Amino acid sequence: MSSTVEVAADRPAPAAAAWLHGVVRDAEPATLAAIVGMDGAPVRAVSAAGLVAVVSTAPLNEYGEQPLRRNLEDLAWLERAARAHHAVVEALARRGPVVPARLATVHTNDDRVAGSLTARRAELVATLDRLTGRGEWGVKGYLVPGAATASAEAAGAGGVGTAYLRRRRAQLTAREERQQVASAAADAVHAALCELAVAGRRHAPQDRRLSGASTPMVLNGAYLVDLAELSRFTELVGSLSGRHAGLHLELTGPWPAYSFVAERPEPALTVQEQR
């Protein structure tokens, strides 16, 4: 889980920092007043360079450098934080394009937030322009269970043990073949969806414990779709599902465009001195 923490050097630490949720072109005060942030209070705006960063007040006893390092190792805390952060980003995305911040992007103060907006203005404006009138949709593909694979081969001279081994070998072979066919079908589905979408990305398939599905996931795609093409995209997903009987396709969304916001190469936890 990536995060960014900035701490001040050679100056007293403030009581609270600013947890960045995302960047938008503008935000009405009434809109922000209705969105609950990380501390249970409404989120607020930091404006600079013609852009608005939406932030939560982040008490340093929980979101400071050392507490945050510890909390990121606590799965229960991490899940709560991720849900709260995503809820803010999702609320912003319902009102227009938003550049989502990575989880646990914490700035020392509002001046640092404003400085980041100014420094990254060209990149952020280009991203907002690219996301305008578009949404991220997910398509997950699951392997459809095949027919029984037990071999009808009768036991030969080798006896019952040999027959069992033959059946097991046939089952494993059939399973591998189904997975290969499903993998090829997932490639074809992704390629077809990318032709209609503005952009597409394949994420690693989710483990069944995370997806909650009873069968393996072989496609975990994200697609940036023009709103004007959404009905065609939805129809295409249905058509592809019928064309590839070995796959069950599931359309999800719309989501904030996490998959189509470029991340700068940074380590998992970056401590930057304020100069």
Side-chain angles (χ1 to χ4, degrees):
M1 188 69 66
S2 58
S3 60
T4 303
V5 179
E6 297 176 338
V7 296
D10 303 324
R11 65 180 66 185
W19 175 296
L20 178 62
H21 293 285
V23 176
V24 295
R25 288 197 179 92
D26 53 59
E28 295 291 334
T31 296
L32 299 185
I35 303 175
V36 177
M38 304 301 294
D39 61 341
V43 296
R44 54 192 177 81
V46 177
S47 301
L51 296 170
V52 174
V54 177
V55 304
S56 286
T57 298
L60 291 180
N61 61 355
E62 183 174 2
Y63 300 103
E65 179 190 358
Q66 293 304 322
L68 188 57
R69 287 181 188 273
R70 291 193 299 270
N71 286 333
L72 289 173
E73 300 298 323
D74 181 340
L75 293 182
W77 183 94
L78 187 59
E79 181 178 2
R80 288 194 302 271
R83 288 183 182 278
H85 174 71
H86 175 70
V88 175
V89 175
E90 192 171 43
L92 295 173
R94 286 196 293 268
R95 292 162 174 81
V98 54
V99 180
R102 294 183 299 172
L103 183 69
T105 299
V106 181
H107 292 269
T108 312
N109 52 47
D110 288 4
D111 288 342
R112 295 291 288 176
V113 178
S116 177
L117 290 179
T118 301
R120 299 180 58 202
R121 184 182 188 283
E123 169 197 343
L124 292 168
V125 168
T127 301
L128 287 168
D129 287 345
R130 186 168 184 251
L131 299 181
T132 299
R134 294 165 175 166
E136 176 174 329
W137 293 79
V139 176
K140 301 183 188 299
Y142 300 93
L143 183 66
V144 173
T149 57
S151 172
E153 212 176 330
V160 175
T162 301
Y164 170 78
L165 292 176
R166 287 174 178 168
R167 285 196 301 272
R168 284 294 298 151
R169 192 158 49 238
Q171 290 172 346
L172 294 173
T173 299
R175 183 182 306 166
E176 290 173 358
E177 288 176 351
R178 284 200 307 273
Q179 289 174 340
Q180 290 173 358
V181 169
S183 179
D187 292 343
V189 167
H190 179 68
L193 294 175
C194 283
E195 289 183 6
L196 182 55
V198 175
R201 287 189 61 183
R202 287 185 74 168
H203 299 295
Q206 295 173 334
D207 184 273
R208 272 184 273 188
R209 290 170 295 182
L210 182 60
S211 70
S214 59
T215 57
M217 180 186 295
V218 293
L219 174 65
N220 186 12
Y223 305 92
L224 188 63
V225 181
D226 278 325
L227 297 182
E229 297 288 352
L230 181 56
S231 60
R232 287 184 60 203
F233 186 83
T234 303
E235 290 171 1
L236 179 58
V237 172
S239 172
L240 291 169
S241 185
R243 199 179 308 168
H244 299 282
L247 279 186
H248 167 66
L249 298 181
E250 179 182 292
L251 177 66
T252 66
W255 305 102
Y258 291 107
S259 300
F260 302 99
V261 175
E263 290 194 3
R264 290 171 293 174
E266 294 179 303
L269 192 63
T270 300
V271 178
Q272 299 176 340
E273 293 185 353
Q274 182 176 344
R275 301 184 185 279

